Amino acid sequence: MSAVIEEHHPDDHHHGPDKGIMRWVFTTNHKDIGTLYLWFSFAMFLFGGVMALCIRAELFQPGLQIVSPELFNQLTTMHGLVMVFGAVMPAFVGLANWLVPMMIGAPDMALPRMNNYSFWILPFAFSMLASTFLMEGGAPNFGWTFYAPLSTDFAPPSVTFFIFAVHMMGISSIMGSINVIVTILNLRAPGMTLMRMPLFVWTWLITAYLLIAVMPVLAGVVTMMLMDIHFGTAFFNAGGGGDPVLFQHVFWFFGHPEVYIMILPAFGVVSAIIPTFARKKLFGYDSMVYASASIAFLSFIVWAHHMFTVGIPLAGELYFMYATMLIAVPTGVKVFNWVATMWQGSMTFETPMLFAIAFVILFTIGGFSGLMLAITPVDFQYHDTYFVVAHFHYVLVPGSVFAIMAAVYYWIPKWTGNMYNEPLGKTHFWLSFIGVNITFFPQHFVGLAGMPRRIPDYALQFADWNMVSSCGAFLFGFSQLLFLFIVIQTVRGGKPATEKVWEGAHGLEWTIPSPAPYHTFSTPPKEIPEAHG
Amino acid sequence: MNTVMRMWFAVAPLLLLSNAALADWSAVNMRQGVTEISRGVYDLHMIIFYVCCVIGVIVFGTMIVSMLMHRKSIGAEPATFHENTRLEVIWTVIPIVILVVMAIPATSTLRDMYEAGESDLDIEVRGYQWKWQYTYLNDDPAKEIQFMSALRTSQDEINNLENKGEHYLLDVDNPLVIPINKRVRFLVTAQDVIHAFWVPDFAVKKDAIPGFVHEAWTVVEEPGIYRGQCAELCGKDHGFMPIVVRAVPEHEYAMWVAEKQQEAQAAFETVGKTWSMEELMTKGEEVYMQHCVACHQANGQGIPPAFPSLVGQGVSVGSIDDHIDIVLNGKAGTAMQAFGLQLNPAEVAAVITYERNAWGNNMNDMVQPKKLGTMMASQ
Ligand SMILES: [Cu+2]
Ligand SMILES: [Cu+2]
């Protein structure tokens, strides 16, 4: 491991970034690429958000007002795909790019050229995906879970472009995760043992393995679709000896780990922020590591909890119910550890801490509904209703998305050298917090009362809560423009940040100047701190 | 003391809010339903809900206390502990115990649901884009009752041109009728894409998967009308394929069966007679508006490329045999269904005649039900 570092040539001339647009096109610098990922992700967040607002506008009242049912299905599908693959995943890759090398005392990512490729694939993949809106027959309209045969025999012609786009995203993710793994395993500064790594690094290491394991499965399933559509196979067509349910098994074998791919790095972020603002070391670091690893392992053996109604035999239903319930145990350990970290700390409530605390509470609420969904007989009533929509939005929006925002507020002083505007940041937090709850909490109600998901129009008894939910969505959506404003303001100026930025901050990234110089840790740090969060 | 007071101020509004919500449970909670199973499911739902509430109160309560008492602004000094094996074992073991306790009733309810007993009545439920077909299986095929069940809400209500009725989007032309206190078995399948047959009051939800048949069953205890919806995204009109079940006492059910069988007989007789062009066109328009309009649209122009136009192109202005063939047999792997399985010969003949002569397709030819009667009988 240290061999890599000794190869460092002292006569390498350290230079700043290139000038102009080419800096971004050809860059192999982890900080530049991290920035690209984050901006790309934010753009996709707005794009997916606009689609979400169209959906919520249509659902504001019963009856069809704004979009046709065809377009509605395209919007729900594209909203899901863009948010999952375009907003949340790239945001975490962006954070990994910025932070992993600085946290482990490495000069850059291990495979910088590949890093550049894995980013630049994404704009092409998503331009292609977005362009399907303009194609004959419209964009993919079969839901982000694209169940066959709706997505094969019955799909619009644009499905082929969708498949190609998914392949590109998969390649990008796999390259990105190889890079993360190689960096973490090979480029740690001498003395940075595995059990000294910040939890963000740990959770990303685990996430990267998950990605490598399941993105090929996703690629496999879309390739089988491609064959069914264009080459006369019948993987998912019972008429030809295939099985539509096979699609769901393969998809969810990817899909369930995918949800942990979107939440594990968030755990890492929160585990960094809470100790800083509680001024107290993370409680149970070791158990946090083991809990993350167990969650990752369990995520491979629970996939059919998305398919309780497809007609699985009793033994299968029972197994998947028990295995799914088991996930609550390591997840609970994490929540208890965060609470124990706060306990008897000396807390202050800057914006990152507010987002992190909201994460713990609201993610836990999403965990509760997840536990309810795990109970098979009751899942028959919840499945494919708004209760599920409420559940996964609770774990994804005030879960993953809040963690990403917390991370931006927490590290942006390090990235830009400027402090963000604290009152504005808090305003953004409260607007988001209120908006998110008004949007998604009532969805539990309509789901329990019997409203199916993915419908453009609904029966009258669901009207009130849908209206409330739509109002919340607009509040949440427009609040994000404030976030954009704050970020731009901080990039352009502000109170200069100190090296350490936060009184309670620990870790290597806080030992370098703010803003972080273009190249950091060209010589490995001498002192490796113990893990603090 | 002061902090405890402040805590109460924080919690009180929440309690008030939850009280207000309690006032009207039905809008916010799962219904108990009308079967033993559905009540069992409801009880499980409430147990797990309360378990979550208790855990939530403990965890969030601890957090709130901590946020009030352990803040720097009131001079709290950070403690230095960061590990406690005993604590960690406790909060690993307690959740496991809770889960095991939860799993026991869940397992028994699930076993009950999977209990494959003798049924009194078997009904095949077949999902189509975007309607349901119900077939009351009978050893004597002549006595089999079969009908389609589709949305009755008018397009004007959906498009806000007319006031929405009480059962907006939850009303069908032909509800499923079942006797109460009998064990009814549903054999659920689909013709095109995956749908899901869901009646919340029975706690029955089963995916309808083309090429596979899955079982579900129910014993309804109270007469009444129970409404559900297709629960699996199945294309454009997924939101517009409700399920309505009328559960009736046994004698009423017997009357309904007799009536249905008579209707089938009458329809059979109309096939024998010779129809005039006018009769065919009137009937054809009716059938078209009920079964074809969702895809091919009222003006026949369709929604290309998903659903082709029937005006001035293709079989509607071409070979009459090809036209009959596609309507009877559909086209495998597309949304165009085999209507020979859904409509009677008179209806098929009429709708084909209608398509050949409406919207300026003036082909001036027609199909007699008689001709189709022989073709369909041989199917
Ligand atoms: Cu899952
Ligand atoms: Cu359906």
Side-chain angles (χ1 to χ4, degrees):
Chain A
M1 190 181 310
S2 53
V4 177
I5 287 143
E6 275 154 25
E7 267 169 33
H8 176 76
H9 300 290
D11 56 350
D12 255 1
H13 196 68
H14 281 217
H15 54 87
D18 289 346
K19 294 279 174 286
I21 181 89
M22 284 307 157
R23 162 179 177 186
W24 302 103
V25 176
F26 293 122
T27 183
T28 54
N29 179 289
H30 73 103
K31 300 184 181 84
D32 281 356
I33 294 174
T35 305
L36 285 171
Y37 264 111
L38 287 170
W39 278 113
F40 174 79
S41 144
F42 192 73
M44 288 297 118
F45 183 57
L46 293 185
F47 177 40
V50 168
M51 291 190 276
L53 292 188
C54 294
I55 293 169
R56 281 317 321 171
E58 175 55 54
L59 293 174
F60 184 72
Q61 278 181 348
L64 294 178
Q65 289 90 10
I66 295 174
V67 295
S68 64
E70 297 94 301
L71 183 56
F72 185 88
N73 286 345
Q74 297 170 31
L75 289 172
T76 51
T77 306
M78 293 287 279
H79 163 74
L81 292 169
V82 165
M83 286 304 199
V84 168
F85 295 102
V88 174
M89 290 169 71
F92 282 125
V93 182
L95 292 175
N97 258 292
W98 254 105
L99 299 170
V100 167
M102 297 197 318
M103 284 178 161
I104 61 174
D108 204 308
M109 295 294 278
L111 308 161
R113 179 69 62 196
M114 193 164 91
N115 205 5
N116 173 291
Y117 295 155
S118 52
F119 171 76
W120 277 108
I121 288 176
L122 287 182
F124 292 99
F126 281 89
S127 316
M128 189 155 70
L129 189 62
S131 73
T132 57
F133 269 119
L134 309 175
M135 290 178 189
E136 210 187 355
N141 56 6
F142 29 65
W144 87 275
T145 51
F146 51 101
Y147 282 9
L150 191 62
S151 62
T152 53
D153 295 343
F154 293 82
S158 61
V159 64
T160 309
F161 291 86
F162 154 80
I163 291 173
F164 193 35
V166 169
H167 273 306
M168 286 165 72
M169 295 169 206
I171 291 170
S172 160
S173 291
I174 291 172
M175 296 203 303
S177 40
I178 290 175
N179 210 346
V180 168
I181 293 175
V182 177
T183 306
I184 297 175
L185 294 185
N186 291 311
L187 292 194
R188 274 171 292 131
M192 174 59 80
T193 59
L194 287 177
M195 290 312 264
R196 279 181 175 232
M197 296 194 311
L199 260 176
F200 179 75
V201 180
W202 256 116
T203 51
W204 239 113
L205 181 65
I206 295 167
T207 302
Y209 276 109
L210 285 182
L211 275 167
I212 290 194
V214 301
M215 290 315 274
V217 177
L218 177 66
V221 79
V222 293
T223 306
M224 287 156 94
M225 282 168 58
L226 189 76
M227 306 282 278
D228 273 12
I229 295 167
H230 293 294
F231 302 108
T233 58
F235 290 112
F236 307 133
N237 178 351
D243 181 353
V245 178
L246 172 65
F247 173 89
Q248 298 180 27
H249 282 293
V250 185
F251 177 82
W252 285 113
F253 190 79
F254 147 80
H256 190 81
E258 168 68 23
V259 307
Y260 289 96
I261 288 167
M262 293 190 282
I263 203 67
L264 282 174
F267 291 166
V269 168
V270 170
S271 302
I273 291 174
I274 291 184
T276 296
F277 295 97
R279 292 166 182 76
K280 185 160 157 278
K281 206 168 160 178
L282 182 71
F283 187 88
Y285 172 91
D286 293 8
S287 67
M288 286 299 228
V289 172
Y290 301 136
S292 306
S294 345
I295 291 175
F297 169 74
L298 287 174
S299 76
F300 284 108
I301 55 168
V302 295
W303 73 91
H305 62 211
H306 299 270
M307 306 164 50
F308 282 142
T309 61
V310 300
I312 296 172
L314 180 61
E317 301 268 69
L318 288 174
Y319 161 73
F320 281 107
M321 170 168 78
Y322 300 149
T324 304
M325 289 168 81
L326 213 53
I327 296 190
V329 176
T331 313
V333 167
K334 294 200 149 259
V335 172
F336 300 141
N337 282 346
W338 289 320
V339 177
T341 308
M342 290 167 64
W343 190 257
Q344 292 192 355
S346 170
M347 277 186 277
T348 51
F349 300 92
E350 288 85 346
T351 311
M353 182 64 161
L354 291 176
F355 273 106
I357 292 174
F359 171 95
V360 176
I361 295 176
L362 301 182
F363 172 80
T364 303
I365 292 178
F368 287 151
S369 53
L371 185 57
M372 297 170 80
L373 283 158
I375 314 282
T376 312
V378 203
D379 177 76
F380 292 155
Q381 293 285 54
Y382 304 142
H383 178 68
D384 266 330
T385 67
Y386 258 82
F387 191 78
V388 177
V389 177
H391 159 69
F392 68 74
H393 280 93
Y394 257 86
V395 291
L396 278 174
V397 185
S400 308
V401 173
F402 270 24
I404 293 164
M405 287 172 178
V408 170
Y409 283 110
Y410 184 55
W411 279 292
I412 206 171
K414 180 57 65 188
W415 299 339
T416 63
N418 304 318
M419 296 304 287
Y420 61 87
N421 180 326
E422 190 64 60
L424 278 187
K426 284 188 171 149
T427 312
H428 171 231
F429 166 76
W430 283 110
L431 290 174
S432 301
F433 179 81
I434 295 167
V436 113
N437 284 297
I438 298 181
T439 311
F440 298 117
F441 211 80
Q443 296 184 357
H444 291 111
F445 303 152
V446 285
L448 291 176
M451 176 166 163
R453 64 193 283 206
R454 293 168 166 164
I455 56 174
D457 192 6
Y458 48 82
L460 301 178
Q461 68 263 38
F462 308 128
D464 296 348
W465 290 116
N466 268 294
M467 193 176 277
V468 173
S469 178
S470 292
C471 293
F474 277 86
L475 175 62
F476 179 76
F478 283 99
S479 310
Q480 304 323 311
L481 297 179
L482 179 59
F483 182 48
L484 177 64
F485 173 79
I486 297 170
V487 169
I488 292 176
Q489 197 188 36
T490 314
V491 170
R492 300 180 64 175
K495 204 172 107 222
T498 61
E499 205 167 84
K500 202 168 169 211
V501 182
W502 310 108
E503 187 190 25
H506 284 261
L508 287 177
E509 78 267 33
W510 307 111
T511 63
I512 53 179
S514 302
Y518 201 53
H519 295 287
T520 40
F521 296 123
S522 305
T523 45
K526 296 263 151 26
E527 254 175 71
I528 306 297
E530 290 232 348
H532 190 266
Chain B
M1 190 64 210
N2 190 15
T3 36
V4 175
M5 290 281 288
R6 273 160 68 183
M7 219 181 85
W8 271 111
F9 279 120
V11 176
L14 284 179
L15 287 177
L16 280 179
L17 254 175
S18 59
N19 257 339
L22 276 171
D24 187 11
W25 266 126
S26 71
V28 297
N29 199 7
M30 184 186 285
R31 58 193 99 176
Q32 298 204 19
V34 290
T35 69
E36 204 183 313
I37 294 283
S38 73
R39 281 191 298 271
V41 166
Y42 173 82
D43 291 342
L44 269 179
H45 159 71
M46 290 316 289
I47 298 174
I48 185 76
F49 173 69
Y50 287 131
V51 168
C52 290
C53 287
V54 171
I55 302 175
V57 167
I58 297 172
V59 173
F60 303 152
T62 315
M63 284 178 79
I64 290 169
V65 170
S66 178
M67 281 189 277
L68 294 175
M69 294 182 7
H70 308 142
R71 48 204 299 153
K72 195 181 172 205
S73 58
I74 58 169
E77 287 290 325
T80 51
F81 68 85
H82 59 88
E83 243 165 4
N84 184 332
T85 312
R86 195 191 308 162
L87 208 53
E88 301 205 36
V89 169
I90 290 175
W91 66 45
T92 310
V93 172
I94 290 181
I96 292 179
V97 173
I98 296 176
L99 292 177
V100 171
V101 171
M102 258 326 291
I104 294 167
T107 304
S108 84
T109 305
L110 192 62
R111 293 178 76 104
D112 292 346
M113 289 173 136
Y114 268 71
E115 185 68 51
E118 270 299 302
S119 61
D120 300 314
L121 173 63
D122 291 336
I123 301 177
E124 187 202 85
V125 174
R126 189 174 284 264
Y128 286 82
Q129 280 183 321
W130 295 287
K131 58 203 163 201
W132 297 93
Q133 183 181 48
Y134 301 118
T135 310
Y136 292 64
L137 301 181
N138 198 314
D139 291 336
D140 176 1
K143 289 205 178 132
E144 229 167 58
I145 300 172
Q146 185 179 64
F147 57 91
M148 304 299 299
S149 176
L151 180 71
R152 195 160 71 172
T153 305
S154 71
Q155 284 301 311
D156 282 354
E157 279 177 73
I158 293 172
N159 292 320
N160 312 306
L161 303 172
E162 206 180 278
N163 281 340
K164 300 187 190 335
E166 189 191 350
H167 299 298
Y168 178 66
L169 295 188
L170 294 179
D171 208 7
V172 296
D173 47 7
N174 300 306
L176 178 64
V177 177
I178 59 171
I180 56 168
N181 295 326
K182 294 271 177 205
R183 194 178 161 103
V184 180
R185 187 160 64 138
F186 301 111
L187 300 161
V188 185
T189 185
Q191 192 66 21
D192 33 47
V193 299
I194 300 178
H195 304 263
F197 180 73
W198 180 33
V199 185
D201 282 305
F202 307 166
V204 166
K205 185 183 281 150
K206 206 65 169 181
D207 287 4
I209 300 167
F212 293 83
V213 179
H214 290 298
E215 272 188 38
W217 63 269
T218 192
V219 179
V220 180
E221 290 161 4
E222 284 166 42
I225 294 181
Y226 304 107
R227 296 168 199 276
Q229 279 176 275
C230 173
E232 183 62 60
L233 177 63
C234 56
K236 174 169 91 67
D237 284 348
H238 163 55
F240 304 91
M241 52 181 292
I243 295 152
V244 179
V245 184
R246 203 150 64 82
V248 296
E250 204 176 343
H251 64 274
E252 211 175 303
Y253 175 72
M255 269 159 51
W256 177 82
V257 169
E259 196 183 305
K260 273 285 166 189
Q261 279 168 346
Q262 228 164 21
E263 254 175 50
Q265 187 60 32
F268 180 74
E269 274 156 19
T270 59
V271 174
K273 77 168 199 185
T274 303
W275 292 51
S276 74
M277 185 70 167
E278 231 164 80
E279 281 173 324
L280 284 171
M281 285 299 282
T282 319
K283 178 83 182 162
E285 180 168 8
E286 186 187 301
V287 175
Y288 185 88
M289 288 306 168
Q290 196 182 354
H291 293 279
C292 321
V293 73
C295 298
H296 296 294
Q297 306 293 302
N299 59 10
Q301 306 273 0
I303 314 174
F307 310 117
S309 163
L310 304 174
V311 181
Q313 62 171 54
V315 298
S316 310
V317 290
S319 146
I320 198 163
D321 289 330
D322 289 349
H323 196 167
I324 294 172
D325 178 57
I326 190 161
V327 177
L328 279 185
N329 304 316
K331 179 115 183 239
T334 75
M336 182 58 197
Q337 303 153 8
F339 284 95
L341 301 173
Q342 301 178 30
L343 305 176
N344 70 35
E347 289 168 328
V348 175
V351 78
I352 292 174
T353 308
Y354 177 73
E355 284 178 351
R356 300 180 77 75
N357 296 287
W359 320 300
N361 274 355
N362 302 317
M363 297 297 289
N364 282 323
D365 51 7
M366 57 177 146
V367 185
Q368 280 300 334
K370 240 184 302 194
K371 172 173 171 184
L372 294 182
T374 45
M375 287 173 71
M376 289 168 74
S378 63
Q379 269 185 356

